[in-house]
Amino acid sequence: MTRTLVLGGTTEASALARALAEAGVDAVFSYAGRTASPVGQPLPTRMGGFGGVAGFVAYLRSEGITQVVDATHPFAAQMSRNAIAGCAEAGVPLCAFERPAWQAGDGDNWTQVADMAAAVAALPKDPARVFLAIGKQNLDIFATQPQHHYLLRLVDAPKTDLPLPDCTVELARGPFDVAGDLALMQRHGTTHVVAKNAGGSGAAAKLIAARQLGLPVVMIARPQLPPRQVRGVLAEVMAWLSHPDV
Ligand SMILES: NC(=O)c1ccc[n+]([C@@H]2O[C@H](COP(=O)([O-])OP(=O)(O)OC[C@H]3O[C@@H](n4cnc5c(N)ncnc54)[C@H](OP(=O)(O)O)[C@@H]3O)[C@@H](O)[C@H]2O)c1
């Protein structure tokens, strides 16, 4: 008997949940609980942090989890590190469902940077209209460049004041399409895009829109993680679940 834990919060995780439910696999879906109304899943769903590595190991043991798929966002590095450490400690096989990083193509004007601080440094000195497509975390550091107007796209309305003096919030939940992102950027007079290299299709429209509008993109590289099993497409994750290895 197997029991799979899916660490979610991405379009890929939702696709995996559908596939597991259709296959009748015994599985639990886990959300961090960051958004007010997360997308419903066709699997039993738990919400909230586990309590670090120790809490994660205790959860694996108490729920009888036999295999874990980490389908969190590539920038959810803390959860991914905890999953690597916790699964190793508990002897539970772990596989990441990780989409390949985006690559710049013909017509793209990307500045690739290592982290948020480098993204801030890559913005121009003169006032610009920046589509800051990084979610709601890490906004503080952009307040060091207050001359820019920032456009934020968030799932939920912010509950507290934002640290950016000149910003506009658009409420929307992905996946997004090119026509919508073109209209968004034109409506806001966007001159620069800042993006995390999430990969996948759900958030790629802004990059195609930026290319079509000839806009520069500051692309933030993914955080580094310890080695782990990785599969890039759903069928490979399903195959791994049939024969998981550590
Ligand atoms: N970071 C992004 O850019 C981004 C973008 C889109 C979606 N998301 C999704 O949003 C969630 C939170 O992202 P984050 O960047 O805040 O993560 P993070 O910094 O890696 O995680 C911080 C803590 O949140 C808890 N956590 C994260 N994901 C969880 C999950 N799926 N189930 C249960 N607990 C979870 C864990 O708490 P404990 O230590 O208490 O276990 C973890 O240590 C993730 O599920 C991710 O897939 C993130």
PDB file of all heavy atoms in Angstrom, residues 68-109:
ATOM      1  N   VAL A  68       6.862  11.123  -1.529  1.00  0.00           N
ATOM      2  CA  VAL A  68       6.540  12.552  -1.559  1.00  0.00           C
ATOM      3  C   VAL A  68       6.892  13.118  -2.934  1.00  0.00           C
ATOM      4  O   VAL A  68       7.966  12.828  -3.471  1.00  0.00           O
ATOM      5  CB  VAL A  68       7.337  13.323  -0.469  1.00  0.00           C
ATOM      6  CG1 VAL A  68       7.072  14.828  -0.566  1.00  0.00           C
ATOM      7  CG2 VAL A  68       6.996  12.804   0.917  1.00  0.00           C
ATOM      8  N   VAL A  69       5.975  13.913  -3.480  1.00  0.00           N
ATOM      9  CA  VAL A  69       6.289  14.692  -4.681  1.00  0.00           C
ATOM     10  C   VAL A  69       6.289  16.163  -4.286  1.00  0.00           C
ATOM     11  O   VAL A  69       5.275  16.692  -3.816  1.00  0.00           O
ATOM     12  CB  VAL A  69       5.274  14.457  -5.822  1.00  0.00           C
ATOM     13  CG1 VAL A  69       5.636  15.332  -7.029  1.00  0.00           C
ATOM     14  CG2 VAL A  69       5.254  12.988  -6.224  1.00  0.00           C
ATOM     15  N   ASP A  70       7.437  16.802  -4.460  1.00  0.00           N
ATOM     16  CA  ASP A  70       7.553  18.227  -4.185  1.00  0.00           C
ATOM     17  C   ASP A  70       7.214  18.976  -5.470  1.00  0.00           C
ATOM     18  O   ASP A  70       8.050  19.085  -6.372  1.00  0.00           O
ATOM     19  CB  ASP A  70       8.977  18.558  -3.725  1.00  0.00           C
ATOM     20  CG  ASP A  70       9.162  20.045  -3.451  1.00  0.00           C
ATOM     21  OD1 ASP A  70       8.191  20.817  -3.650  1.00  0.00           O
ATOM     22  OD2 ASP A  70      10.271  20.438  -3.048  1.00  0.00           O
ATOM     23  N   ALA A  71       5.977  19.442  -5.549  1.00  0.00           N
ATOM     24  CA  ALA A  71       5.531  20.196  -6.732  1.00  0.00           C
ATOM     25  C   ALA A  71       5.335  21.655  -6.350  1.00  0.00           C
ATOM     26  O   ALA A  71       4.464  22.340  -6.895  1.00  0.00           O
ATOM     27  CB  ALA A  71       4.253  19.583  -7.298  1.00  0.00           C
ATOM     28  N   THR A  72       6.118  22.133  -5.401  1.00  0.00           N
ATOM     29  CA  THR A  72       6.047  23.549  -5.029  1.00  0.00           C
ATOM     30  C   THR A  72       6.730  24.395  -6.099  1.00  0.00           C
ATOM     31  O   THR A  72       7.449  23.886  -6.966  1.00  0.00           O
ATOM     32  CB  THR A  72       6.721  23.817  -3.668  1.00  0.00           C
ATOM     33  OG1 THR A  72       8.094  23.406  -3.743  1.00  0.00           O
ATOM     34  CG2 THR A  72       6.019  23.082  -2.543  1.00  0.00           C
ATOM     35  N   HIS A  73       6.526  25.678  -5.989  1.00  0.00           N
ATOM     36  CA  HIS A  73       7.137  26.636  -6.919  1.00  0.00           C
ATOM     37  C   HIS A  73       8.670  26.576  -6.786  1.00  0.00           C
ATOM     38  O   HIS A  73       9.179  26.388  -5.679  1.00  0.00           O
ATOM     39  CB  HIS A  73       6.618  28.035  -6.534  1.00  0.00           C
ATOM     40  CG  HIS A  73       6.940  29.095  -7.511  1.00  0.00           C
ATOM     41  ND1 HIS A  73       8.129  29.783  -7.482  1.00  0.00           N
ATOM     42  CD2 HIS A  73       6.239  29.596  -8.554  1.00  0.00           C
ATOM     43  CE1 HIS A  73       8.138  30.667  -8.452  1.00  0.00           C
ATOM     44  NE2 HIS A  73       6.997  30.571  -9.127  1.00  0.00           N
ATOM     45  N   PRO A  74       9.388  26.736  -7.908  1.00  0.00           N
ATOM     46  CA  PRO A  74      10.853  26.659  -7.822  1.00  0.00           C
ATOM     47  C   PRO A  74      11.475  27.674  -6.850  1.00  0.00           C
ATOM     48  O   PRO A  74      12.624  27.507  -6.438  1.00  0.00           O
ATOM     49  CB  PRO A  74      11.306  26.944  -9.260  1.00  0.00           C
ATOM     50  CG  PRO A  74      10.136  26.603 -10.105  1.00  0.00           C
ATOM     51  CD  PRO A  74       8.914  26.898  -9.290  1.00  0.00           C
ATOM     52  N   PHE A  75      10.729  28.722  -6.495  1.00  0.00           N
ATOM     53  CA  PHE A  75      11.271  29.694  -5.529  1.00  0.00           C
ATOM     54  C   PHE A  75      10.824  29.393  -4.097  1.00  0.00           C
ATOM     55  O   PHE A  75      11.185  30.132  -3.179  1.00  0.00           O
ATOM     56  CB  PHE A  75      10.904  31.126  -5.941  1.00  0.00           C
ATOM     57  CG  PHE A  75      11.803  31.647  -7.037  1.00  0.00           C
ATOM     58  CD1 PHE A  75      11.693  31.158  -8.335  1.00  0.00           C
ATOM     59  CD2 PHE A  75      12.781  32.591  -6.771  1.00  0.00           C
ATOM     60  CE1 PHE A  75      12.531  31.605  -9.345  1.00  0.00           C
ATOM     61  CE2 PHE A  75      13.629  33.047  -7.771  1.00  0.00           C
ATOM     62  CZ  PHE A  75      13.503  32.559  -9.058  1.00  0.00           C
ATOM     63  N   ALA A  76      10.050  28.337  -3.905  1.00  0.00           N
ATOM     64  CA  ALA A  76       9.665  27.929  -2.543  1.00  0.00           C
ATOM     65  C   ALA A  76      10.791  27.046  -1.988  1.00  0.00           C
ATOM     66  O   ALA A  76      10.608  25.853  -1.704  1.00  0.00           O
ATOM     67  CB  ALA A  76       8.327  27.197  -2.564  1.00  0.00           C
ATOM     68  N   ALA A  77      11.958  27.649  -1.832  1.00  0.00           N
ATOM     69  CA  ALA A  77      13.165  26.865  -1.554  1.00  0.00           C
ATOM     70  C   ALA A  77      13.202  26.313  -0.140  1.00  0.00           C
ATOM     71  O   ALA A  77      13.786  25.247   0.102  1.00  0.00           O
ATOM     72  CB  ALA A  77      14.400  27.725  -1.814  1.00  0.00           C
ATOM     73  N   GLN A  78      12.578  27.019   0.810  1.00  0.00           N
ATOM     74  CA  GLN A  78      12.625  26.527   2.187  1.00  0.00           C
ATOM     75  C   GLN A  78      11.873  25.214   2.309  1.00  0.00           C
ATOM     76  O   GLN A  78      12.348  24.248   2.916  1.00  0.00           O
ATOM     77  CB  GLN A  78      12.032  27.569   3.147  1.00  0.00           C
ATOM     78  CG  GLN A  78      12.234  27.222   4.614  1.00  0.00           C
ATOM     79  CD  GLN A  78      13.700  27.081   4.963  1.00  0.00           C
ATOM     80  OE1 GLN A  78      14.496  27.978   4.697  1.00  0.00           O
ATOM     81  NE2 GLN A  78      14.077  25.945   5.517  1.00  0.00           N
ATOM     82  N   MET A  79      10.681  25.177   1.722  1.00  0.00           N
ATOM     83  CA  MET A  79       9.888  23.940   1.761  1.00  0.00           C
ATOM     84  C   MET A  79      10.654  22.820   1.070  1.00  0.00           C
ATOM     85  O   MET A  79      10.685  21.681   1.550  1.00  0.00           O
ATOM     86  CB  MET A  79       8.519  24.163   1.102  1.00  0.00           C
ATOM     87  CG  MET A  79       7.581  22.971   1.199  1.00  0.00           C
ATOM     88  SD  MET A  79       7.031  22.622   2.891  1.00  0.00           S
ATOM     89  CE  MET A  79       7.883  21.095   3.262  1.00  0.00           C
ATOM     90  N   SER A  80      11.261  23.132  -0.069  1.00  0.00           N
ATOM     91  CA  SER A  80      11.989  22.091  -0.811  1.00  0.00           C
ATOM     92  C   SER A  80      13.184  21.580  -0.012  1.00  0.00           C
ATOM     93  O   SER A  80      13.447  20.366   0.010  1.00  0.00           O
ATOM     94  CB  SER A  80      12.441  22.638  -2.172  1.00  0.00           C
ATOM     95  OG  SER A  80      11.304  22.901  -2.966  1.00  0.00           O
ATOM     96  N   ARG A  81      13.901  22.486   0.661  1.00  0.00           N
ATOM     97  CA  ARG A  81      15.042  22.035   1.495  1.00  0.00           C
ATOM     98  C   ARG A  81      14.534  21.167   2.645  1.00  0.00           C
ATOM     99  O   ARG A  81      15.132  20.140   2.977  1.00  0.00           O
ATOM    100  CB  ARG A  81      15.813  23.231   2.047  1.00  0.00           C
ATOM    101  CG  ARG A  81      16.582  23.979   0.989  1.00  0.00           C
ATOM    102  CD  ARG A  81      17.583  24.979   1.572  1.00  0.00           C
ATOM    103  NE  ARG A  81      18.197  25.704   0.471  1.00  0.00           N
ATOM    104  CZ  ARG A  81      17.840  26.931   0.069  1.00  0.00           C
ATOM    105  NH1 ARG A  81      16.906  27.600   0.729  1.00  0.00           N
ATOM    106  NH2 ARG A  81      18.432  27.494  -0.954  1.00  0.00           N
ATOM    107  N   ASN A  82      13.431  21.585   3.259  1.00  0.00           N
ATOM    108  CA  ASN A  82      12.870  20.799   4.369  1.00  0.00           C
ATOM    109  C   ASN A  82      12.439  19.418   3.886  1.00  0.00           C
ATOM    110  O   ASN A  82      12.599  18.422   4.607  1.00  0.00           O
ATOM    111  CB  ASN A  82      11.664  21.517   4.986  1.00  0.00           C
ATOM    112  CG  ASN A  82      12.050  22.770   5.749  1.00  0.00           C
ATOM    113  OD1 ASN A  82      13.226  23.078   5.881  1.00  0.00           O
ATOM    114  ND2 ASN A  82      11.060  23.504   6.229  1.00  0.00           N
ATOM    115  N   ALA A  83      11.876  19.365   2.677  1.00  0.00           N
ATOM    116  CA  ALA A  83      11.423  18.073   2.145  1.00  0.00           C
ATOM    117  C   ALA A  83      12.615  17.150   1.900  1.00  0.00           C
ATOM    118  O   ALA A  83      12.557  15.953   2.204  1.00  0.00           O
ATOM    119  CB  ALA A  83      10.628  18.287   0.861  1.00  0.00           C
ATOM    120  N   ILE A  84      13.699  17.713   1.375  1.00  0.00           N
ATOM    121  CA  ILE A  84      14.896  16.891   1.126  1.00  0.00           C
ATOM    122  C   ILE A  84      15.419  16.331   2.446  1.00  0.00           C
ATOM    123  O   ILE A  84      15.670  15.125   2.591  1.00  0.00           O
ATOM    124  CB  ILE A  84      15.989  17.728   0.407  1.00  0.00           C
ATOM    125  CG1 ILE A  84      15.519  18.089  -1.003  1.00  0.00           C
ATOM    126  CG2 ILE A  84      17.311  16.974   0.375  1.00  0.00           C
ATOM    127  CD1 ILE A  84      16.364  19.166  -1.691  1.00  0.00           C
ATOM    128  N   ALA A  85      15.561  17.222   3.440  1.00  0.00           N
ATOM    129  CA  ALA A  85      16.111  16.784   4.735  1.00  0.00           C
ATOM    130  C   ALA A  85      15.143  15.827   5.438  1.00  0.00           C
ATOM    131  O   ALA A  85      15.565  14.793   5.985  1.00  0.00           O
ATOM    132  CB  ALA A  85      16.386  18.011   5.610  1.00  0.00           C
ATOM    133  N   GLY A  86      13.865  16.159   5.419  1.00  0.00           N
ATOM    134  CA  GLY A  86      12.874  15.353   6.151  1.00  0.00           C
ATOM    135  C   GLY A  86      12.691  13.974   5.531  1.00  0.00           C
ATOM    136  O   GLY A  86      12.600  12.964   6.251  1.00  0.00           O
ATOM    137  N   CYS A  87      12.638  13.910   4.210  1.00  0.00           N
ATOM    138  CA  CYS A  87      12.473  12.607   3.551  1.00  0.00           C
ATOM    139  C   CYS A  87      13.704  11.733   3.776  1.00  0.00           C
ATOM    140  O   CYS A  87      13.578  10.518   3.979  1.00  0.00           O
ATOM    141  CB  CYS A  87      12.214  12.792   2.060  1.00  0.00           C
ATOM    142  SG  CYS A  87      10.532  13.372   1.720  1.00  0.00           S
ATOM    143  N   ALA A  88      14.888  12.360   3.752  1.00  0.00           N
ATOM    144  CA  ALA A  88      16.111  11.585   4.021  1.00  0.00           C
ATOM    145  C   ALA A  88      16.056  11.015   5.433  1.00  0.00           C
ATOM    146  O   ALA A  88      16.357   9.835   5.661  1.00  0.00           O
ATOM    147  CB  ALA A  88      17.338  12.473   3.835  1.00  0.00           C
ATOM    148  N   GLU A  89      15.652  11.841   6.380  1.00  0.00           N
ATOM    149  CA  GLU A  89      15.593  11.391   7.786  1.00  0.00           C
ATOM    150  C   GLU A  89      14.575  10.264   7.964  1.00  0.00           C
ATOM    151  O   GLU A  89      14.822   9.288   8.681  1.00  0.00           O
ATOM    152  CB  GLU A  89      15.240  12.582   8.682  1.00  0.00           C
ATOM    153  CG  GLU A  89      15.348  12.271  10.161  1.00  0.00           C
ATOM    154  CD  GLU A  89      15.094  13.506  11.022  1.00  0.00           C
ATOM    155  OE1 GLU A  89      15.413  14.638  10.578  1.00  0.00           O
ATOM    156  OE2 GLU A  89      14.560  13.326  12.135  1.00  0.00           O
ATOM    157  N   ALA A  90      13.436  10.393   7.300  1.00  0.00           N
ATOM    158  CA  ALA A  90      12.366   9.400   7.481  1.00  0.00           C
ATOM    159  C   ALA A  90      12.514   8.204   6.538  1.00  0.00           C
ATOM    160  O   ALA A  90      11.760   7.242   6.644  1.00  0.00           O
ATOM    161  CB  ALA A  90      11.008  10.076   7.245  1.00  0.00           C
ATOM    162  N   GLY A  91      13.466   8.284   5.597  1.00  0.00           N
ATOM    163  CA  GLY A  91      13.639   7.186   4.640  1.00  0.00           C
ATOM    164  C   GLY A  91      12.485   7.076   3.661  1.00  0.00           C
ATOM    165  O   GLY A  91      12.134   5.988   3.213  1.00  0.00           O
ATOM    166  N   VAL A  92      11.895   8.217   3.329  1.00  0.00           N
ATOM    167  CA  VAL A  92      10.762   8.243   2.394  1.00  0.00           C
ATOM    168  C   VAL A  92      11.253   8.789   1.049  1.00  0.00           C
ATOM    169  O   VAL A  92      11.868   9.854   1.009  1.00  0.00           O
ATOM    170  CB  VAL A  92       9.622   9.134   2.954  1.00  0.00           C
ATOM    171  CG1 VAL A  92       8.542   9.353   1.912  1.00  0.00           C
ATOM    172  CG2 VAL A  92       9.042   8.518   4.210  1.00  0.00           C
ATOM    173  N   PRO A  93      11.018   8.070  -0.059  1.00  0.00           N
ATOM    174  CA  PRO A  93      11.466   8.574  -1.368  1.00  0.00           C
ATOM    175  C   PRO A  93      10.819   9.915  -1.721  1.00  0.00           C
ATOM    176  O   PRO A  93       9.628  10.126  -1.470  1.00  0.00           O
ATOM    177  CB  PRO A  93      11.019   7.485  -2.349  1.00  0.00           C
ATOM    178  CG  PRO A  93      10.785   6.267  -1.514  1.00  0.00           C
ATOM    179  CD  PRO A  93      10.363   6.756  -0.157  1.00  0.00           C
ATOM    180  N   LEU A  94      11.633  10.776  -2.332  1.00  0.00           N
ATOM    181  CA  LEU A  94      11.193  12.124  -2.702  1.00  0.00           C
ATOM    182  C   LEU A  94      11.525  12.390  -4.164  1.00  0.00           C
ATOM    183  O   LEU A  94      12.638  12.079  -4.617  1.00  0.00           O
ATOM    184  CB  LEU A  94      11.928  13.164  -1.839  1.00  0.00           C
ATOM    185  CG  LEU A  94      11.839  14.620  -2.302  1.00  0.00           C
ATOM    186  CD1 LEU A  94      10.434  15.185  -2.093  1.00  0.00           C
ATOM    187  CD2 LEU A  94      12.867  15.479  -1.549  1.00  0.00           C
ATOM    188  N   CYS A  95      10.586  12.960  -4.867  1.00  0.00           N
ATOM    189  CA  CYS A  95      10.828  13.391  -6.248  1.00  0.00           C
ATOM    190  C   CYS A  95      10.287  14.809  -6.393  1.00  0.00           C
ATOM    191  O   CYS A  95       9.204  15.111  -5.889  1.00  0.00           O
ATOM    192  CB  CYS A  95      10.109  12.458  -7.211  1.00  0.00           C
ATOM    193  SG  CYS A  95      10.283  12.910  -8.936  1.00  0.00           S
ATOM    194  N   ALA A  96      11.038  15.672  -7.068  1.00  0.00           N
ATOM    195  CA  ALA A  96      10.524  17.015  -7.371  1.00  0.00           C
ATOM    196  C   ALA A  96       9.871  16.991  -8.741  1.00  0.00           C
ATOM    197  O   ALA A  96      10.409  16.398  -9.676  1.00  0.00           O
ATOM    198  CB  ALA A  96      11.657  18.026  -7.346  1.00  0.00           C
ATOM    199  N   PHE A  97       8.711  17.607  -8.846  1.00  0.00           N
ATOM    200  CA  PHE A  97       8.060  17.845 -10.142  1.00  0.00           C
ATOM    201  C   PHE A  97       8.433  19.280 -10.490  1.00  0.00           C
ATOM    202  O   PHE A  97       7.796  20.220 -10.016  1.00  0.00           O
ATOM    203  CB  PHE A  97       6.554  17.657  -9.986  1.00  0.00           C
ATOM    204  CG  PHE A  97       5.769  17.787 -11.284  1.00  0.00           C
ATOM    205  CD1 PHE A  97       6.371  18.001 -12.510  1.00  0.00           C
ATOM    206  CD2 PHE A  97       4.380  17.660 -11.250  1.00  0.00           C
ATOM    207  CE1 PHE A  97       5.632  18.099 -13.681  1.00  0.00           C
ATOM    208  CE2 PHE A  97       3.625  17.759 -12.418  1.00  0.00           C
ATOM    209  CZ  PHE A  97       4.255  17.980 -13.628  1.00  0.00           C
ATOM    210  N   GLU A  98       9.490  19.406 -11.258  1.00  0.00           N
ATOM    211  CA  GLU A  98      10.060  20.740 -11.487  1.00  0.00           C
ATOM    212  C   GLU A  98      10.114  21.031 -12.971  1.00  0.00           C
ATOM    213  O   GLU A  98      10.775  20.332 -13.727  1.00  0.00           O
ATOM    214  CB  GLU A  98      11.468  20.810 -10.899  1.00  0.00           C
ATOM    215  CG  GLU A  98      12.039  22.196 -10.904  1.00  0.00           C
ATOM    216  CD  GLU A  98      13.454  22.205 -10.369  1.00  0.00           C
ATOM    217  OE1 GLU A  98      14.361  21.746 -11.089  1.00  0.00           O
ATOM    218  OE2 GLU A  98      13.661  22.652  -9.229  1.00  0.00           O
ATOM    219  N   ARG A  99       9.430  22.062 -13.353  1.00  0.00           N
ATOM    220  CA  ARG A  99       9.438  22.456 -14.759  1.00  0.00           C
ATOM    221  C   ARG A  99      10.795  23.067 -15.112  1.00  0.00           C
ATOM    222  O   ARG A  99      11.419  23.720 -14.269  1.00  0.00           O
ATOM    223  CB  ARG A  99       8.318  23.454 -14.983  1.00  0.00           C
ATOM    224  CG  ARG A  99       8.334  24.602 -14.002  1.00  0.00           C
ATOM    225  CD  ARG A  99       6.966  24.885 -13.414  1.00  0.00           C
ATOM    226  NE  ARG A  99       6.993  26.131 -12.649  1.00  0.00           N
ATOM    227  CZ  ARG A  99       5.924  26.695 -12.139  1.00  0.00           C
ATOM    228  NH1 ARG A  99       4.746  26.159 -12.274  1.00  0.00           N
ATOM    229  NH2 ARG A  99       6.017  27.819 -11.470  1.00  0.00           N
ATOM    230  N   PRO A 100      11.237  22.869 -16.365  1.00  0.00           N
ATOM    231  CA  PRO A 100      12.506  23.469 -16.774  1.00  0.00           C
ATOM    232  C   PRO A 100      12.458  24.994 -16.671  1.00  0.00           C
ATOM    233  O   PRO A 100      11.393  25.589 -16.834  1.00  0.00           O
ATOM    234  CB  PRO A 100      12.657  23.034 -18.238  1.00  0.00           C
ATOM    235  CG  PRO A 100      11.700  21.915 -18.444  1.00  0.00           C
ATOM    236  CD  PRO A 100      10.603  22.097 -17.443  1.00  0.00           C
ATOM    237  N   ALA A 101      13.612  25.597 -16.409  1.00  0.00           N
ATOM    238  CA  ALA A 101      13.685  27.063 -16.356  1.00  0.00           C
ATOM    239  C   ALA A 101      13.422  27.638 -17.742  1.00  0.00           C
ATOM    240  O   ALA A 101      13.681  26.992 -18.757  1.00  0.00           O
ATOM    241  CB  ALA A 101      15.059  27.493 -15.864  1.00  0.00           C
ATOM    242  N   TRP A 102      12.889  28.870 -17.778  1.00  0.00           N
ATOM    243  CA  TRP A 102      12.714  29.553 -19.061  1.00  0.00           C
ATOM    244  C   TRP A 102      14.089  29.939 -19.625  1.00  0.00           C
ATOM    245  O   TRP A 102      15.023  30.270 -18.865  1.00  0.00           O
ATOM    246  CB  TRP A 102      11.895  30.835 -18.860  1.00  0.00           C
ATOM    247  CG  TRP A 102      10.463  30.617 -18.495  1.00  0.00           C
ATOM    248  CD1 TRP A 102       9.594  29.722 -19.042  1.00  0.00           C
ATOM    249  CD2 TRP A 102       9.708  31.340 -17.504  1.00  0.00           C
ATOM    250  NE1 TRP A 102       8.345  29.840 -18.453  1.00  0.00           N
ATOM    251  CE2 TRP A 102       8.388  30.831 -17.504  1.00  0.00           C
ATOM    252  CE3 TRP A 102      10.008  32.370 -16.616  1.00  0.00           C
ATOM    253  CZ2 TRP A 102       7.386  31.309 -16.664  1.00  0.00           C
ATOM    254  CZ3 TRP A 102       9.018  32.851 -15.774  1.00  0.00           C
ATOM    255  CH2 TRP A 102       7.719  32.320 -15.802  1.00  0.00           C
ATOM    256  N   GLN A 103      14.174  29.916 -20.949  1.00  0.00           N
ATOM    257  CA  GLN A 103      15.394  30.339 -21.639  1.00  0.00           C
ATOM    258  C   GLN A 103      15.048  31.521 -22.536  1.00  0.00           C
ATOM    259  O   GLN A 103      13.987  31.509 -23.172  1.00  0.00           O
ATOM    260  CB  GLN A 103      15.944  29.205 -22.523  1.00  0.00           C
ATOM    261  CG  GLN A 103      16.159  27.881 -21.805  1.00  0.00           C
ATOM    262  CD  GLN A 103      17.294  27.926 -20.812  1.00  0.00           C
ATOM    263  OE1 GLN A 103      18.221  28.726 -20.956  1.00  0.00           O
ATOM    264  NE2 GLN A 103      17.228  27.091 -19.786  1.00  0.00           N
ATOM    265  N   ALA A 104      15.957  32.486 -22.612  1.00  0.00           N
ATOM    266  CA  ALA A 104      15.735  33.619 -23.517  1.00  0.00           C
ATOM    267  C   ALA A 104      15.818  33.134 -24.962  1.00  0.00           C
ATOM    268  O   ALA A 104      16.646  32.266 -25.274  1.00  0.00           O
ATOM    269  CB  ALA A 104      16.764  34.709 -23.263  1.00  0.00           C
ATOM    270  N   GLY A 105      14.963  33.659 -25.815  1.00  0.00           N
ATOM    271  CA  GLY A 105      14.978  33.291 -27.237  1.00  0.00           C
ATOM    272  C   GLY A 105      15.159  34.530 -28.099  1.00  0.00           C
ATOM    273  O   GLY A 105      15.394  35.642 -27.580  1.00  0.00           O
ATOM    274  N   ASP A 106      15.026  34.334 -29.403  1.00  0.00           N
ATOM    275  CA  ASP A 106      15.152  35.450 -30.346  1.00  0.00           C
ATOM    276  C   ASP A 106      14.162  36.551 -29.981  1.00  0.00           C
ATOM    277  O   ASP A 106      12.992  36.274 -29.718  1.00  0.00           O
ATOM    278  CB  ASP A 106      14.847  34.979 -31.770  1.00  0.00           C
ATOM    279  CG  ASP A 106      15.998  34.170 -32.343  1.00  0.00           C
ATOM    280  OD1 ASP A 106      17.067  34.170 -31.718  1.00  0.00           O
ATOM    281  OD2 ASP A 106      15.795  33.526 -33.389  1.00  0.00           O
ATOM    282  N   GLY A 107      14.632  37.767 -29.955  1.00  0.00           N
ATOM    283  CA  GLY A 107      13.750  38.902 -29.687  1.00  0.00           C
ATOM    284  C   GLY A 107      13.626  39.233 -28.213  1.00  0.00           C
ATOM    285  O   GLY A 107      13.050  40.264 -27.856  1.00  0.00           O
ATOM    286  N   ASP A 108      14.145  38.350 -27.337  1.00  0.00           N
ATOM    287  CA  ASP A 108      14.079  38.652 -25.906  1.00  0.00           C
ATOM    288  C   ASP A 108      15.230  39.576 -25.512  1.00  0.00           C
ATOM    289  O   ASP A 108      16.343  39.468 -26.048  1.00  0.00           O
ATOM    290  CB  ASP A 108      14.181  37.363 -25.074  1.00  0.00           C
ATOM    291  CG  ASP A 108      12.884  36.575 -25.086  1.00  0.00           C
ATOM    292  OD1 ASP A 108      11.812  37.205 -25.136  1.00  0.00           O
ATOM    293  OD2 ASP A 108      12.944  35.329 -25.052  1.00  0.00           O
ATOM    294  N   ASN A 109      14.955  40.462 -24.567  1.00  0.00           N
ATOM    295  CA  ASN A 109      15.974  41.383 -24.051  1.00  0.00           C
ATOM    296  C   ASN A 109      16.024  41.192 -22.535  1.00  0.00           C
ATOM    297  O   ASN A 109      15.393  41.932 -21.799  1.00  0.00           O
ATOM    298  CB  ASN A 109      15.588  42.821 -24.447  1.00  0.00           C
ATOM    299  CG  ASN A 109      16.529  43.851 -23.852  1.00  0.00           C
ATOM    300  OD1 ASN A 109      17.579  43.499 -23.301  1.00  0.00           O
ATOM    301  ND2 ASN A 109      16.157  45.124 -23.928  1.00  0.00           N
TER     302      ASN A 109
END
